[in-house]
Amino acid sequence: MTVVLNQSFTGISIGAVLLLIALGLTLTFGQMGVINMAHGEFIMAGAYTTYVLQKSISSAGISLLVALPLAFLVAGAMGALLEWLLIRRLYTRPLDTLLVTWGVSLMLQQLARDVFGAPNVQTAAPDILTGNISAGSVTFANNRLFILGLALLCVLGLTLVLRFTPLGRRIRAVVQNRDLAEVSGIATGQVDRITFFIGSGLAGVAGVALTLVGPIGPTMGTNYIVDAFLVVVVGGIGQLKGAVITAFALGVLQSVLEYSTTVSVAKVVVLVAIVAFLQWRPQGLYTLRTRSLA
Amino acid sequence: MTTTTTTTPPGTVTPPSTPLLNRFRVPAGFALGAVLLLGIAPLALSDFRLSLLAKYLCYAIVAVGVSLAWGRGGLMVLGQGVFFGLGGYAMAMHLKLTDAAATGEKLPDFMQLYGTGDALPWWWKPFANPGFALAMTVLLPMAVAAVLGFLVFRRRVKGAYFAILSQALAAALSIWLVGQQATTGGTNGLTDIQGFFGYSLDDPVNQRMVYFVIAVVLLLLMALARQLFVSRYGELLIAVRDSEERVRFLGYNPANIKLVAYVVAAGMAGLAGALFVPAVGIISPALIGIVPSIGFVIGAAVGGRASLVGAVLGAIAVAWAQSTLSDEFPAAWTYLQGLLFVLAVGFLPGGLASLGVVLRRRRTRTGTPATGETA
């Protein structure tokens, strides 16, 4: 029983990390159809933001708190710049965005290597986040709980913005029917850029969270990016609740499989499970109903 | 003229040329390629450079398949590393076993090192047979592609979804190979391959033989791809790329059409992987994961994905640039590679093969009369 609970918690915390990373993608990939391979490098930007802050602010707790909004702005600005420079020219060719942003991600990785050096760096976690909480025989690592809370907070915030603000309404309008939104007087180009800003900013927040669980390095984005895309694919395009359910389901599946087999076998089985799942629901868990044939 | 029916990626136009020139263009180009690869290159290049060229030609073979599946079929095949790896490992397993047998050992060297006991794993055993191993280098990748393709295309999972799934497959295979250290050599892969069907690879003469085999295979596969392109199937493939729904309404099943392209491309990548092993002497997870898998499409994208010759030349050029520049200026090469990709895909989707056409069109548009053959 203890094992089951501990493994489930591990799974949930893997899921929380996945969710944080995939959240920005549900906006940029799910809603806008842009396959942004540089998303992983925006995560890296968030992580390095934390690292730089910690050099000037010695208190780990304060620097973490400052890092969260700052990383959002840094990564968001990078995303908006990318959208303005490249992606807005490619909305009619979604597949090519993958290759173009892959080129961008190569350059950003190299930039990180030139600025911060190739070896991984580490940040100190605040004291509150280093311990564990025990409930009965189950232990919860504080940093994992923090990430879980942060992920849920981001989901909540994003949901509120999309549901109840004028900006959210405009975003949803553009996603559902770009042409109709355009003729209704919505500046779709501007909405695209803001959506990209938010999506990339969320990657920055994920980067801050990742500094609590692992080292920061130029290739850290590559390690997560494919998993994050799988979450969005299985969850269904542009569906927040799909992403939430999928991230936790894949996290738990992964941790259970890792416990009973090995990490490498678990990866393969998860992939097989995803392909099998798509046989049943090719459009993902939840689908946005539109009138388009494709 | 049926020879001009090879259609172009969005954003390019078929260059207008005289019918007479067209009739001889393809055979003449093929002959020129054969003379260059089989005659001039072996004479002009040192043994070292020729073996490098052999490696680049392996990437070019993958690019032939990429040109078919991606350029013609619109299937973004980001997981070609999987098929390259399956072919490569099938070949390397056989060569390791014959190497071991030649020195009187029962097990390949790395298995003795990791100590898995005396017995060869059951799934290694059939690879001692050269015929089986050779067949597997092509059939195994094709079988994997057929299963994945069937499942994915049948349910109309397409576009970005397919690209991401094929990429995830590449990640999964390389992670799995790393994890099974005792039977696959783990991160190191299968290294230090000595012989090739009884010929020592240390001997430069035999290295040249390997080069010739690779060059001939490349030329044959290009001819095969060319025939596929101009066939009725090639037309259907382009039709599926450009408007899948319409092809469905016409009574064809787009899933089958796409499946054939994917499976053939996988077979070509498998063959390339199998030839890569004797040419380079190693196959490892680092050569087949996500990064190299994307690398396989870079060359084709830069050269021109829809143009067979463009894709092949692009693959060779990018591989050449990578090995010459990345040793001396690793940082500069990474920036250049990224920039090349951004510029080629973002601003010249037809690749360098379409550069002439794009420039000509731009000149006509700005009023300057185009030289020579105006339409």
Side-chain angles (χ1 to χ4, degrees):
Chain A
M1 190 61 198
T2 317
V3 171
V4 173
L5 284 175
N6 272 323
Q7 284 303 311
S8 318
F9 177 68
T10 312
I12 287 170
S13 70
I14 296 176
V17 172
L18 274 180
L19 178 58
L20 258 182
I21 298 163
L23 205 54
L25 282 179
T26 57
L27 277 182
T28 56
F29 173 49
Q31 309 235 14
M32 297 168 70
V34 172
I35 312 166
N36 180 19
M37 292 298 282
H39 194 80
E41 277 58 48
F42 296 156
I43 293 172
M44 174 188 82
Y48 274 117
T49 305
T50 323
Y51 171 72
V52 170
L53 269 178
Q54 218 165 58
K55 296 215 147 168
S56 43
I57 306 174
S58 50
S59 159
I62 296 174
S63 75
L64 187 69
L65 283 182
V66 179
L68 283 172
L70 194 65
F72 183 84
L73 292 177
V74 169
M78 287 169 74
L81 188 68
L82 180 69
E83 201 275 344
W84 179 67
L85 278 176
L86 291 174
I87 289 171
R88 70 191 164 110
R89 299 165 211 276
L90 297 171
Y91 282 121
T92 50
R93 299 189 276 143
L95 270 178
D96 286 350
T97 59
L98 190 155
L99 298 171
V100 169
T101 53
W102 169 256
V104 172
S105 99
L106 278 180
M107 290 192 273
L108 288 177
Q109 281 179 27
Q110 188 57 39
L111 190 69
R113 237 173 256 133
D114 287 347
V115 175
F116 299 102
N120 288 342
V121 294
Q122 204 100 39
T123 55
D127 291 338
I128 325 172
L129 296 184
T130 50
N132 294 311
I133 295 177
S134 296
S137 53
V138 190
T139 41
F140 301 105
N142 283 351
N143 57 355
R144 297 281 180 178
L145 284 175
F146 175 78
I147 292 175
L148 183 61
L150 187 65
L152 293 178
L153 205 67
C154 286
V155 172
L156 184 71
L158 193 57
T159 312
L160 292 179
V161 168
L162 286 179
R163 277 258 171 100
F164 298 112
T165 64
L167 173 67
R169 270 195 292 280
R170 285 204 294 274
I171 291 176
R172 284 184 288 138
V174 172
V175 168
Q176 292 196 6
N177 194 329
R178 177 173 292 270
D179 295 336
L180 193 55
E182 179 85 50
V183 296
S184 312
I186 294 174
T188 53
Q190 200 186 9
V191 171
D192 285 337
R193 201 152 314 139
I194 296 172
T195 313
F196 220 81
F197 178 83
I198 299 174
S200 311
L202 287 169
V205 173
V208 178
L210 285 179
T211 62
L212 295 171
V213 291
I216 305 161
T219 55
M220 65 185 288
T222 326
N223 301 335
Y224 293 101
I225 189 78
V226 174
D227 287 342
F229 271 115
L230 288 178
V231 169
V232 183
V233 167
V234 175
I237 36 173
Q239 296 295 307
L240 277 185
K241 59 183 170 188
V244 174
I245 295 172
T246 309
F248 287 121
L250 286 186
V252 171
L253 183 65
Q254 175 104 11
S255 97
V256 168
L257 286 170
E258 274 177 23
Y259 183 75
S260 46
T261 59
T262 61
V263 178
S264 58
V265 173
K267 275 271 177 206
V268 177
V269 177
V270 166
L271 180 72
V272 170
I274 288 172
V275 174
F277 173 81
L278 288 178
Q279 298 304 301
W280 174 52
R281 273 182 174 270
Q283 306 296 322
L285 203 52
Y286 292 99
T287 43
L288 185 68
R289 297 213 179 275
T290 63
R291 286 169 186 276
S292 73
L293 244 183
Chain B
M1 284 292 109
T2 45
T3 43
T4 43
T5 45
T6 52
T7 324
T8 44
T12 53
V13 288
T14 323
S17 41
T18 58
L20 185 71
L21 198 69
N22 250 338
R23 194 179 304 162
F24 292 107
R25 211 184 54 190
V26 172
F30 190 77
L32 181 70
V35 168
L36 273 176
L37 281 179
L38 300 175
I40 297 179
L43 286 178
L45 296 177
S46 66
D47 287 336
F48 173 69
R49 299 217 168 267
L50 197 68
S51 75
L52 277 182
L53 183 60
K55 179 172 145 187
Y56 307 155
L57 293 188
C58 290
Y59 294 138
I61 293 174
V62 182
V64 174
V66 170
S67 177
L68 174 72
W70 183 33
R72 301 295 162 128
L75 302 168
M76 190 176 252
V77 281
L78 283 182
Q80 291 306 84
V82 171
F83 310 123
F84 188 82
L86 288 173
Y89 270 89
M91 176 65 95
M93 281 160 70
H94 173 68
L95 297 184
K96 286 306 276 185
L97 287 175
T98 46
D99 280 356
T103 52
E105 301 281 352
K106 265 172 71 189
L107 293 178
D109 47 8
F110 74 93
M111 282 192 194
Q112 299 165 22
L113 200 65
Y114 299 128
T116 45
D118 294 335
L120 200 62
W122 61 268
W123 52 275
W124 269 73
K125 280 179 188 152
F127 285 92
N129 180 327
F132 178 83
L134 270 182
M136 279 302 121
T137 61
V138 180
L139 294 183
L140 203 59
M142 287 173 96
V144 171
V147 171
L148 182 75
F150 175 76
L151 292 176
V152 165
F153 299 141
R154 188 178 62 112
R155 296 299 292 169
R156 302 186 196 176
V157 173
K158 56 188 161 192
Y161 291 80
F162 171 71
I164 288 160
L165 279 177
S166 67
Q167 201 173 31
L169 188 67
L173 179 71
S174 66
I175 291 170
W176 183 79
L177 285 169
V178 169
Q180 311 299 311
Q181 182 142 16
T183 50
T184 63
T187 325
N188 296 331
L190 302 177
T191 57
D192 199 24
I193 283 152
Q194 303 288 331
F196 181 55
F197 294 99
Y199 297 95
S200 163
L201 287 172
D202 281 340
D203 190 342
V205 176
N206 293 338
Q207 277 284 353
R208 288 195 160 233
M209 179 188 73
V210 170
Y211 167 81
F212 277 109
V213 171
I214 293 173
V216 167
V217 167
L218 173 64
L219 288 168
L220 286 178
L221 289 183
M222 283 180 79
L224 173 75
R226 164 82 203 168
Q227 280 318 109
L228 268 180
F229 284 179
V230 296
S231 70
R232 181 185 165 78
Y233 170 76
E235 303 280 326
L236 274 173
L237 189 60
I238 290 164
V240 169
R241 175 191 74 189
D242 291 343
S243 182
E244 190 171 333
E245 289 302 329
R246 284 192 209 176
V247 175
R248 201 189 313 281
F249 292 150
L250 286 173
Y252 293 99
N253 186 353
N256 294 341
I257 297 169
K258 290 199 276 191
L259 189 62
V260 170
Y262 187 49
V263 169
V264 171
M268 290 181 177
L271 197 53
L275 293 168
F276 182 87
V277 169
V280 181
I282 181 174
I283 186 83
S284 78
L287 289 163
I288 66 173
I290 291 181
V291 176
S293 288
I294 296 184
F296 285 129
V297 306
I298 292 186
V302 171
R305 64 186 85 155
S307 148
L308 183 58
V309 176
V312 166
L313 289 181
I316 296 174
V318 169
W320 171 79
Q322 169 136 29
S323 46
T324 43
L325 291 176
S326 65
D327 288 341
E328 280 187 70
F329 320 100
W333 163 248
T334 315
Y335 286 123
L336 183 68
Q337 194 184 13
L339 197 66
L340 206 61
F341 221 39
V342 169
L343 294 179
V345 180
F347 299 95
L348 198 61
L352 291 176
S354 70
L355 192 61
V357 180
V358 171
L359 286 180
R360 194 156 47 221
R361 203 174 41 191
R362 177 157 300 178
R363 214 163 36 207
T364 353
R365 205 164 46 204
T366 49
T368 329
T371 47
E373 64 309 54
T374 33

